[in-house]
Amino acid sequence: MEHDGQLQLYAAVAVQLKEAHAKVRALQVPEGVRMALTRKLLVITAAAKHDLADAARRLEAFTADLDEGRFPEEER
C-alpha cells in the first residue's frame, strides 16, 4: 500500500514539475531571472530522487512564489 502512495506522489510531482517548467518558459522576464528559476526547478528535480516528500514541499513553495510574482534576482 505504501508503495502505491509513493508512486502516486511521484506522478503528482512529475506533473507539477512539468507545469512549473511550462510556466517559467512562458514568463516575460529577463533571461537571467528565467535561468535562476530554471536552476531552482533543477534543484527540486534532483531532490526528488532522494526525498520525494521534501521535493513536493519545495515545489509547492516554488509554485506559490511564482504565482505571487516573487522571482529571484537576475543572475549575471
Side-chain angles (χ1 to χ4, degrees):
M1 285 290 222
E2 184 178 324
H3 185 67
D4 289 342
Q6 280 291 103
L7 287 176
Q8 289 174 341
L9 182 58
Y10 179 80
V13 168
V15 167
Q16 291 170 351
L17 277 168
K18 185 176 179 180
E19 291 170 354
H21 276 284
K23 284 182 181 182
V24 168
R25 278 193 310 273
L27 288 174
Q28 299 295 319
V29 294
E31 189 60 28
V33 172
R34 185 180 327 283
M35 287 174 53
L37 290 167
T38 300
R39 191 164 279 118
K40 283 185 171 210
L41 282 173
L42 291 174
V43 168
I44 294 169
T45 301
K49 296 175 184 176
H50 305 285
D51 187 346
L52 190 56
D54 179 55
R57 285 188 295 276
R58 293 169 74 173
L59 182 56
E60 185 177 321
F62 176 87
T63 303
D65 285 346
L66 205 60
D67 291 344
E68 294 292 322
R70 293 187 298 262
F71 305 128
E73 295 291 320
E74 185 172 356
E75 290 188 359
R76 297 169 198 247

